[in-house]
Amino acid sequence: MADKIATRQAYGEELAALGATEPDLVVLDADLSGSTMTKYFKAAYPDRFFNAGIAEQNMVAMAAGLAASGKTAVCSTFAMFASGRAFEIIRNAIGYPHLNVKVCATHAGVTVGEDGASHQCVEDLALMRTIPGMTVINPADGVSAKLLLDAAVRMNGPVYMRFGRASVPIFYKRSAKLTIGKAGVLRKGDYIVNGEKRFADATVIATGIEVAEALAAAELLEKQGIHVRVLDMHTIKPLDAKAVLKAAKETGRIVTAEEGTVLGGLGSAVSEVVAGSKENCRVAMIGVQDRFGQSGKPAELMEEYGLTAKHIAKAVKGLLK
Amino acid sequence: MNTKALQRKALDVREDIVRMLSLAGSGHPGGSLSAADIGTALFFEVMDVDPNDPKKPDRDKFVLSKGHAAPLLYACLAEKGFFPKETLWTLRKMGSILQGHPNMNEVPGVEMSTGSLGQGFGTAVGMAIAGKLDKSKGRVYALLGDGELQEGIVWEAAMAAAHHKLDNLTIFIDHNGLQIDGTNDEVMRVMPIDEKFRAFGWDVRVIDGHDMDAILGAVKAAKKVKGRPQAIIAETVKGKGVSYMENAVGWHGKAPNAEQTKQALEELAAARAALK
């Protein structure tokens, strides 16, 4: 867990690498290429890079037009402006016609930090998942960001991908096999008592940078004799309902963890699956609790909004009471 | 097609529009009729499109940015042979490919799903960029409404098209002066349209949007422009061809009843007779 890299950095590097193998790949940005890291693609393939200027709505529309003309169009800006400002264009010009556009949004969540609430998008996963046919991906670390970007670019259809500003620990290996729509089991949590196999006491289903927090929480709890399963739900949509139901059946307690609003995001998606099942399972949600963000250091904000390993551990214990 | 034949075809298109809306019981006649001559000129004289091969490479592309004029687009496509004319009578009905606003995945010849104003223009800019990348011979045409110019994305797209020197993009602005709540001037002034587009770096011409020769002449001139996108501002009459709809705000989004339909078709038949 020593190495750290921001998922946006990994995204930018991999996008430039994809330029070599994907001749139909075009990239658009809205005056933020130095922050979204599309600058690497721009430098390598200037003829296939288009700056939309500070005009996110038209950037998304142009991406739709390029995709309708056979291109694989990737467009990047901050999550706030991609999923918020351009929402209706994503819905109507990309989602409805099911065009091959990858909206790759960076600077998501409260860990944007000092820029404050106006730039801290916590709504994107909730918004994007309401669009029929939209694939919604939120990678946990730099390596999975690259692997999932590869898969997203090579699949046909609209995708929203979320990347963060702050550096986060790397725990995936480049040889990892990640499949869009299939949760990764990072820690099984099952254990043996008196020679008898027991399922984990609870499951933490985390997404994005909360996966690292979930793994840390599991470590903390293990020391206290609590065995936790950790799932990386990198794909919010289509949600791996099978993995959710398995966790519900086997562990009976689920804590969801996301760096975004609990209204409509991963927690909601997981709850929808559990509520519609016959499993007797309790769910607690870690996420931003119907609040706007604020300026601060990422670590301070993680603490303030209840997103740390400590908070996840507390939620697990709450369900075990 | 010669001018007379095109004028006759425009009357066919107008009849289709009236019949479709009458059968549908809802829809947008005013802005479909005002742009009927432009649509006819594009599909029957200007554009290189093949109804037997709707996706052929290097074809010209038409984006109906004012998507509520779907009846116009559907009538042009059916008259051109992209799908049977009988399909027109299913407009807006449950299960029809002819949705209230165009769906590119359902209707042969529809290049982009539109309806939310301003977005079609932005996608047309993207298509023109793709055309440049692919060194395509095909050109991109888009039709915008005048009220549509109130959308912010229109000016984002206008800026981008000029910035990228998209001389393979020609837009028509259907300047009929009316929108849902009243005249443009009452609701939100859009004039001067020509000066706005010129200031954004576009080649601009203003024509009578019901004069077939003027439309063809403007396109011919626009195609010769190098390094700049072209806007053709077409001065039109909302509801053109049906007397009681002409310049009437109330006919933006409502269908004629049986009596009104009969009168409209009689007027169009009289116009056809006058052409001969």
Side-chain angles (χ1 to χ4, degrees), chain A residues 174-291:
Chain A
R174 185 83 205 196
S175 58
K177 295 271 177 282
L178 275 81
T179 307
I180 291 172
K182 201 165 177 337
V185 183
L186 296 183
R187 190 185 170 105
K188 203 146 184 243
D190 297 346
Y191 56 105
I192 292 165
V193 179
N194 300 330
E196 194 185 322
K197 192 190 162 192
R198 300 260 181 93
F199 289 119
D201 301 318
T203 303
V204 179
I205 303 181
T207 190
I209 65 165
E210 285 298 289
V211 174
E213 299 296 329
L215 288 169
E219 294 282 332
L220 279 173
L221 291 165
E222 190 70 37
K223 288 184 189 130
Q224 300 168 32
I226 300 168
H227 309 281
V228 173
R229 184 175 297 178
V230 176
L231 300 187
D232 172 10
M233 197 61 85
H234 48 71
T235 309
I236 309 297
K237 188 181 184 179
L239 189 77
D240 188 349
K242 228 172 118 182
V244 172
L245 289 173
K246 189 172 191 296
K249 187 187 175 78
E250 293 179 354
T251 72
R253 299 170 190 91
I254 293 175
V255 172
T256 62
E258 61 199 302
E259 190 208 4
T261 177
V262 293
L263 304 177
L266 171 72
S268 296
V270 167
S271 297
E272 287 157 17
V273 171
V274 173
S277 77
K278 59 175 175 32
E279 305 305 336
N280 183 16
C281 176
R282 294 177 66 198
V283 179
M285 296 182 203
I286 290 290
V288 175
Q289 305 289 329
D290 200 16
R291 290 170 70 190

Side-chain angles (χ1 to χ4, degrees), chain B residues 162-189:
Chain B
H163 179 82
H164 290 295
K165 302 183 170 60
L166 300 178
D167 50 19
N168 56 344
L169 173 67
T170 305
I171 67 166
F172 278 89
I173 293 156
D174 180 14
H175 186 217
N176 58 39
L178 299 182
Q179 55 192 105
I180 296 177
D181 273 356
T183 64
N184 299 154
D185 285 347
E186 286 164 356
V187 178
M188 181 55 64
R189 194 157 56 91

Side-chain angles (χ1 to χ4, degrees), chain B residues 5 11 17 35 56 72 79 115 125 131 140 158 171 175 186 218 231 246 248 253:
Chain B
L11 285 168
I17 291 168
K56 81 166 179 175
L72 165 64
E79 291 286 345
V125 172
V140 180
I171 67 166
H175 186 217
E186 286 164 356
E246 287 191 0

Side-chain angles (χ1 to χ4, degrees), chain B residues 62-73 102 112 114-115 120 141-143:
Chain B
F62 174 75
V63 176
L64 182 70
S65 197
K66 49 174 285 185
H68 56 279
L72 165 64
L73 176 55
M112 178 56 64
T114 53
Y141 296 89
L143 176 63

Side-chain angles (χ1 to χ4, degrees), chain B residues 106-145:
Chain B
E106 296 277 356
V107 188
V110 171
E111 298 285 357
M112 178 56 64
S113 302
T114 53
S116 179
L117 294 177
Q119 296 180 20
F121 183 21
T123 61
V125 172
M127 288 180 187
I129 292 174
K132 289 281 180 190
L133 274 175
D134 294 339
K135 298 186 170 54
S136 171
K137 293 195 300 278
R139 298 178 57 80
V140 180
Y141 296 89
L143 176 63
L144 284 75

